């Protein structure tokens, strides 16, 4: 038994194997904090781990409101998904406030 068949990112209680003494050992990246990793965790998971990689941020969208308070958004894409317990992906979307100032805003009644 051991982690050779599975490696999981984060804390995942379903990601375990029986150890040499028939007790549970874990193959999730959280096991490094709790000290209950399977003996082959580092060889099977950490050495083979691939962290997430993302591309650059895209442009901000237009303000959602022509006049007054609204929001803008932008996003980026995953270029390399995480594998074998590698670092998870950071946020892929951002949102921020904006103020719509269309030329017709001052003429609205």
């Amino acid at each position: 038994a051991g982690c050779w068949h599975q490696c999981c990112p984060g804390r995942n209680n379903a990601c375990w194997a029986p150890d040499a003494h028939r007790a549970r050992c874990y193959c999730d990246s959280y096991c490094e904090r709790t000290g209950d990793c399977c003996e082959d965790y580092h060889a099977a998971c950490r050495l083979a781990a691939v962290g997430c990689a993302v591309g650059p941020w895209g442009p901000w969208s237009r303000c959602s409101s022509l006049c007054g308070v609204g929001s803008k958004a932008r996003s980026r894409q995953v270029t390399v998904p995480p594998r074998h317990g590698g670092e998870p992906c950071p946020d892929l979307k951002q949102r921020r406030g904006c103020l719509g100032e269309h030329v017709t805003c001052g003429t609205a009644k």
Side-chain angles (χ1 to χ4, degrees):
C3 296
W4 62 271
H5 65 288
Q6 68 178 351
C7 297
C8 306
R11 186 175 191 169
N12 184 341
N13 289 335
C15 192
W16 63 274
D19 70 8
H21 307 293
R22 307 297 271 173
R24 283 187 183 186
C25 60
Y26 291 86
C27 302
D28 58 359
S29 55
Y30 196 75
C31 75
E32 292 184 292
R33 279 192 180 169
T34 55
D36 55 1
C37 297
C38 293
E39 288 183 21
D40 66 342
Y41 174 77
H42 286 282
C45 301
R46 295 310 296 164
L47 296 180
V50 176
C52 181
V54 295
W57 287 107
W60 287 102
S61 66
R62 291 184 179 183
C63 191
S64 63
S65 175
L66 289 176
C67 300
V69 177
S71 64
K72 292 182 175 188
R74 69 178 181 171
S75 63
R76 58 185 172 179
Q77 301 295 316
V78 173
T79 56
V80 178
R83 292 190 299 275
H84 306 298
E87 286 296 314
C89 294
D91 288 339
L92 300 175
K93 294 182 181 180
Q94 286 184 334
R95 185 172 298 278
R96 73 177 182 190
C98 59
L99 187 59
E101 298 177 354
H102 193 267
V103 292
T104 60
C105 294
T107 59
K109 299 197 184 223

